[in-house]
């Protein structure tokens, strides 16, 4: 069948055009048939998917990670760095980084998580810089732990002068997700940095603070 370029997700990988519901059914079927998948086999599979030709393959990795929570927690974080080398644009990056790793996942190895998130925020690869922000959206929304929010503010400070939409939208997303558990801190931060933050991030976060809506 004819394959099209998937430009919407910010990448030029060819797509098999499998919709998200069908892709999830494929993943669930695989998990049901391979409940005892060994850790080494799991890693090998993920490596093959992230190195794959098609966008659809790369979208599957994050879903598999969620269905194998024990294996997920045993993954060396350097693996994320390697996988992100193969991902481009918000759709692929977010499929690995959005709500895949929970508060519990990060708390177990917070020192290592903190180190790699800071490293991502300094990377020349914009996809890794976006990942540093998106990976924190779930923890700041799920927890009142100030370790997560303090790191989030630090990374936003580092990236707030960037103009690319991959970063400006991620900053807005992270700030808005912090409103649930860190509303006062976000309001103070917004007031202090309103002339430095990307306009879209300031506008959307201010609206979230005032209305509670996205």
């Amino acid at each position: 069948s004819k394959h099209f370029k998937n430009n919407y997700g910010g990448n030029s990988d060819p797509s098999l055009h499998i919709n998200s519901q069908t892709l999830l059914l494929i993943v669930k079927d695989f998990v049901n048939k391979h409940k005892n998948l060994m850790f080494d086999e799991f890693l090998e599979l993920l490596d093959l998917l992230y190195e794959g030709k098609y966008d659809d393959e790369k979208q599957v990795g994050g879903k598999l990670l969620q269905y194998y929570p024990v294996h997920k927690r045993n993954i060396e974080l350097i693996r994320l760095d390697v996988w992100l080398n193969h991902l481009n644009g918000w759709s692929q990056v977010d499929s690995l980084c959005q709500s895949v790793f929970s508060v519990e996942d990060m708390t177990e190895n917070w020192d290592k998580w903190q180190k790699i998130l800071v490293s991502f925020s300094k990377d020349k690869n914009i996809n890794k810089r976006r990942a540093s922000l998106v990976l924190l959206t779930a923890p700041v929304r799920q927890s009142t732990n100030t370790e997560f929010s303090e790191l989030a503010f630090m990374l936003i400070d580092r990236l707030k002068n960037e103009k690319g939409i991959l970063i400006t939208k991620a900053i807005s997303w992270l700030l808005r997700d912090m409103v649930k558990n860190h509303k006062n801190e976000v309001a103070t931060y917004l007031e202090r940095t309103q002339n430095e933050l990307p306009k879209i991030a300031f506008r959307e976060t201010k609206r979230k603070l005032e209305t509670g809506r996205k």
Side-chain angles (χ1 to χ4, degrees), residues 145-178:
N145 189 334
T146 57
E147 287 185 315
F148 298 123
S149 59
E150 285 171 2
L151 180 60
F153 284 128
M154 187 182 86
L155 300 189
I156 290 169
D157 256 348
R158 175 169 290 140
L159 299 171
K160 66 180 183 290
N161 293 318
E162 291 204 30
K163 306 301 181 186
I165 193 169
L166 278 178
I167 302 301
T168 59
K169 287 292 287 184
I171 288 174
S172 173
W173 181 5
L174 183 52
L175 283 170
R176 283 179 286 130
D177 273 2
M178 276 197 283

Coordinates of all heavy atoms in Angstrom, one line a residue, residues 145-178:
N145 N 4.9 16.9 45.8 CA 6.4 16.9 46.1 C 7.0 18.1 45.4 O 7.0 18.2 44.2 CB 7.0 15.6 45.7 CG 8.4 15.4 46.1 OD1 9.1 16.4 46.4 ND2 8.8 14.2 46.3
T146 N 7.7 19.0 46.2 CA 8.3 20.2 45.6 C 9.6 19.9 44.8 O 10.1 20.7 44.1 CB 8.6 21.2 46.7 OG1 9.4 20.6 47.7 CG2 7.3 21.7 47.3
E147 N 10.1 18.7 45.0 CA 11.3 18.3 44.2 C 11.0 18.3 42.7 O 11.8 18.8 41.9 CB 11.8 16.9 44.6 CG 12.5 16.9 45.9 CD 13.1 15.5 46.2 OE1 12.5 14.5 46.0 OE2 14.3 15.5 46.7
F148 N 9.8 17.9 42.4 CA 9.4 17.9 41.0 C 9.1 19.3 40.5 O 9.6 19.7 39.4 CB 8.1 17.1 40.8 CG 8.3 15.6 41.1 CD1 7.4 15.0 42.1 CD2 9.2 14.8 40.5 CE1 7.6 13.7 42.4 CE2 9.4 13.5 40.8 CZ 8.5 12.9 41.8
S149 N 8.4 20.1 41.2 CA 8.1 21.5 40.8 C 9.3 22.3 40.8 O 9.5 23.2 39.9 CB 7.0 22.1 41.7 OG 7.5 22.1 43.1
E150 N 10.2 22.2 41.7 CA 11.5 23.0 41.7 C 12.3 22.7 40.5 O 12.9 23.6 39.9 CB 12.3 22.7 43.0 CG 11.6 23.4 44.2 CD 12.3 23.0 45.5 OE1 13.3 22.2 45.5 OE2 11.8 23.4 46.6
L151 N 12.4 21.4 40.1 CA 13.1 21.1 38.9 C 12.4 21.6 37.7 O 13.1 22.1 36.8 CB 13.3 19.6 38.8 CG 14.1 19.1 37.5 CD1 15.5 19.7 37.5 CD2 14.1 17.6 37.5
A152 N 11.1 21.5 37.7 CA 10.3 22.1 36.5 C 10.6 23.6 36.3 O 10.9 24.0 35.2 CB 8.8 21.8 36.8
F153 N 10.5 24.3 37.4 CA 10.8 25.8 37.3 C 12.2 26.0 36.8 O 12.5 26.9 36.0 CB 10.6 26.5 38.6 CG 9.2 26.7 39.0 CD1 8.7 26.3 40.2 CD2 8.3 27.3 38.1 CE1 7.3 26.5 40.6 CE2 7.0 27.5 38.5 CZ 6.5 27.1 39.7
M154 N 13.2 25.2 37.3 CA 14.6 25.4 36.9 C 14.7 25.2 35.4 O 15.4 25.9 34.7 CB 15.5 24.5 37.6 CG 17.0 24.7 37.4 SD 18.0 23.5 38.3 CE 18.0 22.2 37.1
L155 N 14.1 24.1 34.9 CA 14.2 23.8 33.4 C 13.5 24.8 32.6 O 14.0 25.2 31.5 CB 13.7 22.3 33.2 CG 14.4 21.2 33.9 CD1 13.9 19.9 33.4 CD2 15.9 21.3 33.8
I156 N 12.3 25.2 33.1 CA 11.6 26.3 32.3 C 12.5 27.5 32.2 O 12.5 28.2 31.2 CB 10.3 26.6 33.0 CG1 9.3 25.4 32.8 CG2 9.6 27.9 32.4 CD1 8.1 25.5 33.7
D157 N 13.1 27.9 33.4 CA 14.0 29.1 33.4 C 15.1 28.9 32.3 O 15.4 29.9 31.6 CB 14.7 29.2 34.7 CG 14.1 30.3 35.6 OD1 13.3 31.1 35.0 OD2 14.4 30.4 36.8
R158 N 15.6 27.7 32.2 CA 16.7 27.5 31.2 C 16.2 27.6 29.8 O 17.0 28.1 28.9 CB 17.3 26.1 31.5 CG 18.4 25.7 30.4 CD 19.1 24.5 30.9 NE 19.9 24.7 32.0 CZ 20.1 23.9 33.1 NH1 19.5 22.8 33.1 NH2 20.9 24.3 34.0
L159 N 15.0 27.2 29.5 CA 14.5 27.1 28.1 C 13.5 28.2 27.7 O 13.1 28.3 26.6 CB 13.8 25.8 28.0 CG 14.7 24.5 28.2 CD1 13.9 23.2 28.2 CD2 15.8 24.5 27.1
K160 N 13.2 29.1 28.6 CA 12.1 30.1 28.4 C 12.4 31.1 27.3 O 11.5 31.8 26.8 CB 11.8 30.9 29.7 CG 12.8 31.8 30.2 CD 12.3 32.4 31.5 CE 13.3 33.5 32.1 NZ 14.5 32.8 32.7
N161 N 13.7 31.2 26.9 CA 14.0 32.2 25.8 C 14.0 31.6 24.4 O 14.2 32.2 23.4 CB 15.4 32.8 26.1 CG 15.4 33.7 27.3 OD1 14.4 34.5 27.5 ND2 16.4 33.6 28.1
E162 N 13.7 30.3 24.4 CA 13.6 29.6 23.1 C 12.3 30.0 22.3 O 11.3 30.2 23.0 CB 13.7 28.1 23.2 CG 15.1 27.6 23.7 CD 15.4 26.2 23.3 OE1 14.8 25.7 22.3 OE2 16.1 25.5 24.0
K163 N 12.4 30.0 21.0 CA 11.3 30.4 20.2 C 10.5 29.3 19.5 O 9.4 29.4 19.1 CB 11.7 31.4 19.1 CG 12.5 32.6 19.6 CD 11.7 33.4 20.6 CE 12.5 34.7 21.1 NZ 11.8 35.4 22.2
G164 N 11.2 28.1 19.4 CA 10.6 27.0 18.7 C 9.3 26.5 19.4 O 9.3 26.4 20.6
I165 N 8.3 26.2 18.6 CA 7.0 25.8 19.2 C 7.1 24.5 20.0 O 6.3 24.3 20.9 CB 5.9 25.7 18.1 CG1 4.5 25.6 18.7 CG2 6.2 24.5 17.2 CD1 3.4 25.7 17.7
L166 N 8.0 23.6 19.7 CA 8.2 22.4 20.5 C 8.5 22.7 21.9 O 8.1 22.0 22.8 CB 9.4 21.6 19.9 CG 9.1 20.7 18.7 CD1 10.4 19.9 18.3 CD2 8.0 19.6 19.0
I167 N 9.2 23.8 22.1 CA 9.6 24.2 23.5 C 8.5 25.2 24.1 O 8.1 25.0 25.3 CB 11.0 24.9 23.5 CG1 12.0 24.0 22.9 CG2 11.3 25.3 24.9 CD1 12.2 22.7 23.7
T168 N 8.1 26.1 23.4 CA 7.1 27.1 23.9 C 5.8 26.4 24.4 O 5.3 26.8 25.4 CB 6.8 28.2 22.9 OG1 6.2 27.7 21.7 CG2 8.1 29.0 22.6
K169 N 5.3 25.5 23.6 CA 4.1 24.8 24.0 C 4.3 23.9 25.1 O 3.5 23.7 26.0 CB 3.6 24.0 22.8 CG 2.9 24.9 21.7 CD 1.7 25.6 22.2 CE 0.5 24.6 22.3 NZ -0.8 25.3 22.6
A170 N 5.5 23.3 25.2 CA 5.8 22.4 26.3 C 6.0 23.1 27.6 O 5.5 22.7 28.7 CB 7.1 21.6 26.0
I171 N 6.5 24.3 27.6 CA 6.6 25.2 28.8 C 5.2 25.5 29.3 O 4.9 25.5 30.4 CB 7.4 26.5 28.5 CG1 8.9 26.2 28.3 CG2 7.2 27.5 29.5 CD1 9.8 27.3 27.9
S172 N 4.3 25.9 28.3 CA 2.9 26.2 28.7 C 2.3 25.0 29.3 O 1.6 25.1 30.4 CB 2.2 26.6 27.4 OG 0.8 26.8 27.7
W173 N 2.5 23.9 28.8 CA 1.9 22.6 29.2 C 2.3 22.3 30.7 O 1.5 22.0 31.6 CB 2.3 21.5 28.3 CG 1.7 20.2 28.6 CD1 0.9 19.8 29.5 CD2 2.1 19.0 27.8 NE1 0.6 18.4 29.5 CE2 1.3 17.9 28.4 CE3 2.9 18.7 26.7 CZ2 1.4 16.6 27.9 CZ3 3.0 17.4 26.3 CH2 2.3 16.4 26.9
L174 N 3.6 22.4 30.9 CA 4.2 22.1 32.2 C 3.7 23.1 33.3 O 3.3 22.7 34.4 CB 5.7 22.1 32.1 CG 6.5 21.7 33.4 CD1 6.0 20.4 34.0 CD2 8.0 21.6 33.1
L175 N 3.7 24.4 32.9 CA 3.2 25.4 33.9 C 1.7 25.1 34.2 O 1.3 25.2 35.4 CB 3.4 26.8 33.3 CG 4.8 27.4 33.3 CD1 4.9 28.6 32.5 CD2 5.2 27.6 34.8
R176 N 0.9 24.8 33.2 CA -0.5 24.6 33.5 C -0.7 23.3 34.3 O -1.6 23.3 35.2 CB -1.3 24.5 32.2 CG -1.5 25.9 31.6 CD -2.2 25.8 30.2 NE -1.4 25.4 29.1 CZ -1.7 24.4 28.3 NH1 -2.8 23.7 28.4 NH2 -0.9 24.0 27.3
D177 N 0.1 22.3 34.1 CA -0.1 21.1 34.9 C 0.4 21.3 36.3 O -0.1 20.6 37.2 CB 0.7 20.0 34.3 CG -0.1 19.2 33.2 OD1 -1.2 19.6 32.9 OD2 0.4 18.2 32.6
M178 N 1.2 22.3 36.6 CA 1.7 22.6 37.9 C 0.6 23.3 38.7 O 0.7 23.4 40.0 CB 3.0 23.4 37.9 CG 4.2 22.5 37.8 SD 5.7 23.4 38.3 CE 6.0 24.4 36.8

